[in-house]
Amino acid sequence: MIPLIKPFLPEKEILLPELEKILYSGYIAEGEAVYQFEDAVKKYIGNPYCLALNSGTAALHLALIIADVKSGDEVISTPMTAEPTNTSISAIDAKIIWGDVNLNNGLLDPDSVRSLINSKTKAIVVVHYAGMVCDMDEFNKLSQEFNIPIIEDAAHALGSKYNGKMVGNGQNVTIFSFQAIKHMTTVDGGILSVTNENALERTRRLRWFGLDKKKARLLNDITELGYKYAMNNVNATIGNVQMRFINSVIDKYISNGKFYDNALKSINGIELMAYNKNTEPSYWLYTLKVERREDFIKMLEANSVTASPLHHRNDTHSIFKTLKRDLPNMDIFYNSFVHIPCGWWVGNEDREYIVDLIKKGW
Ligand SMILES: *Cc1c(COP(=O)(O)O)cnc(C)c1O
């Protein structure tokens, strides 16, 4: 079976000696390995203000805090995502206002968001779902016009680009996840990418109970409640080794994605995604819309290829029942989208095999 998801881990001979070294080094909590990892990510995404955390969810929480979102405030978000995007908003008791999606790519629709903005709106969370980048031309305009911060959930979008630069390069607060199934994994982990030195220093304290690690414990005074969100040296060591391979791994996702973009055009029963202008996806999942989706999935599975919509639209969960709104585009998109394998493990023969199967019909 060709899977939809498969964690990339460097070879044993390369990874295990590094892990052994750190495990018995006497210093396994947040330390040098974490700061090295932050430096590597800073260089990769092109933003000096990055903080390594123990999950992408922790990064979302801190992103909402520095956007000054408080209990009762409204946050506009999308149901077309993994649950942590939205449980994080509920966790601080803010109210999620569901925006509708663009029918042609499933990403949050800026026009829908515009119609929902009011004096209670404190932040807009956009999700670069499956590695496709939201319409940032429009979202950045909205942010300026209404003076509302955008938080970019780039858990699926390591290596994606906007205007030729990496997502997360510092225009908006952005989060990444290194959870098991993402482009790159540290087993668990995340990055919070912020836009200035003050925000970096503030979140540095918030990741460690509100304590300032640069000061002696006895000289510390907690002035703002923080959390236990720091990455540790063990996860960071995995990250440091992973970063040696990041370009080739991401390139493989992108090469497969572009291959499908080309090979699957103009096939009956399939609609490819319309990527937003000035954006380049990193194809964490290859997304398409298909007619008779169940049959499509069955046909591929019968031929040892996994295909699935993967995510559950978030607005239908019981905890969000009272927030329900009509989302006509989401209803249509949700019933027709599907993902096919696209990652580093999909070889040239595999991707040709998958295209041939689809061309034969379902
Ligand atoms: C994985 C994921 C997260 C959260 O990341 P964790 O590291 O698992 O906490 C947030 N948003 C999206 C869209 C995700 O897929």
Side-chain angles (χ1 to χ4, degrees), residues 81-93:
T81 182
E83 283 78 358
T85 308
N86 292 308
T87 54
S88 303
I89 301 171
S90 291
I92 56 172
D93 198 29

Side-chain angles (χ1 to χ4, degrees), residues 192-206:
L192 175 66
S193 154
V194 297
T195 59
N196 60 70
E197 187 69 39
N198 284 345
L200 183 70
E201 288 311 315
R202 181 174 172 202
T203 47
R204 201 192 294 287
R205 291 189 298 275
L206 295 182

Side-chain angles (χ1 to χ4, degrees), residues 1 5 9 16 29 44 76 88 128 138-139 152 220 228 292 297 310 360:
M1 207 67 180
I5 298 277
L9 283 163
L16 290 188
Y44 181 74
I76 302 172
S88 303
H128 303 312
E138 291 304 315
F139 282 115
E152 298 183 42
N220 248 290
K228 172 121 196 270
R292 290 170 290 105
I297 292 173
L310 201 67
K360 278 189 213 142

Side-chain angles (χ1 to χ4, degrees), residues 51-112:
L51 206 64
L53 303 176
N54 56 17
S55 73
T57 306
L60 279 165
H61 186 194
L62 296 190
L64 290 161
I65 290 175
I66 60 170
D68 204 27
V69 178
K70 303 230 164 64
S71 172
D73 291 336
E74 294 188 358
V75 176
I76 302 172
S77 181
T78 173
M80 190 63 231
T81 182
E83 283 78 358
T85 308
N86 292 308
T87 54
S88 303
I89 301 171
S90 291
I92 56 172
D93 198 29
K95 185 175 176 195
I96 301 164
I97 307 293
W98 302 113
D100 205 352
V101 300
N102 178 337
L103 202 47
N104 302 318
N105 57 30
L107 301 173
L108 193 58
D109 173 17
D111 290 333
S112 165

